[in-house]
Amino acid sequence: MGKFIISKRNNGDFQFNLKAGNGQVILTSQGYSSKPSCENGIESVKTNAQDYSRFERNTAKDGRCYFNLKAGNGQIIGTSQMYESDNGMENGIESVKNNAPNASVEEEINN
């Protein structure tokens, strides 16, 4: 089962990573100024991950693939790692879709 890990960036912003059951990071959030905003972002991922139209597929300048998960308002709520192939990226999307809805939430915040 997947899990969301909330952490604090060096600049004080909060972020989350969605990890698959094997511990691999499959989605990383933007920075949030507050922990409640970060938690709202997690809820948005849980909701939007079930809608394939919310996944924006992209190709980086070096040819690798990645995706963004967007909210209904078009805002990016999470970005994937880089993948060597379209197939790898599609597997990553499936992993987010399968792991996000029931993922637990943990904190790794060092003050």
Side-chain angles (χ1 to χ4, degrees):
M1 173 140 16
K3 61 183 171 182
F4 288 95
I5 306 293
I6 296 174
S7 60
K8 207 169 192 182
R9 294 180 173 177
N10 290 337
N11 67 358
D13 283 354
F14 293 85
Q15 74 171 39
F16 63 81
N17 286 313
L18 173 59
K19 292 186 176 185
N22 64 5
Q24 183 177 3
V25 174
I26 51 178
L27 195 71
T28 300
S29 75
Q30 64 183 25
Y32 294 93
S33 60
S34 70
K35 188 175 153 200
S37 295
C38 187
E39 291 167 337
N40 287 341
I42 290 171
E43 290 307 312
S44 185
V45 169
K46 289 183 175 192
T47 300
N48 289 289
Q50 298 309 299
D51 184 345
Y52 277 114
S53 70
R54 300 287 163 87
F55 289 92
E56 175 187 72
R57 293 152 175 87
N58 298 295
T59 303
K61 289 180 183 176
D62 65 4
R64 294 186 297 167
C65 307
Y66 69 99
F67 61 86
N68 291 318
L69 176 60
K70 291 186 167 187
N73 64 4
Q75 183 178 359
I76 295 171
I77 48 179
T79 301
S80 73
Q81 64 178 14
M82 292 291 182
Y83 296 95
E84 296 299 324
S85 67
D86 284 343
N87 190 46
M89 178 181 62
E90 293 300 327
N91 288 341
I93 289 171
E94 282 299 317
S95 186
V96 170
K97 190 174 183 295
N98 292 332
N99 281 283
N102 299 309
S104 61
V105 179
E106 299 178 13
E107 294 183 23
E108 289 179 0
I109 299 173
N110 301 321
N111 292 331

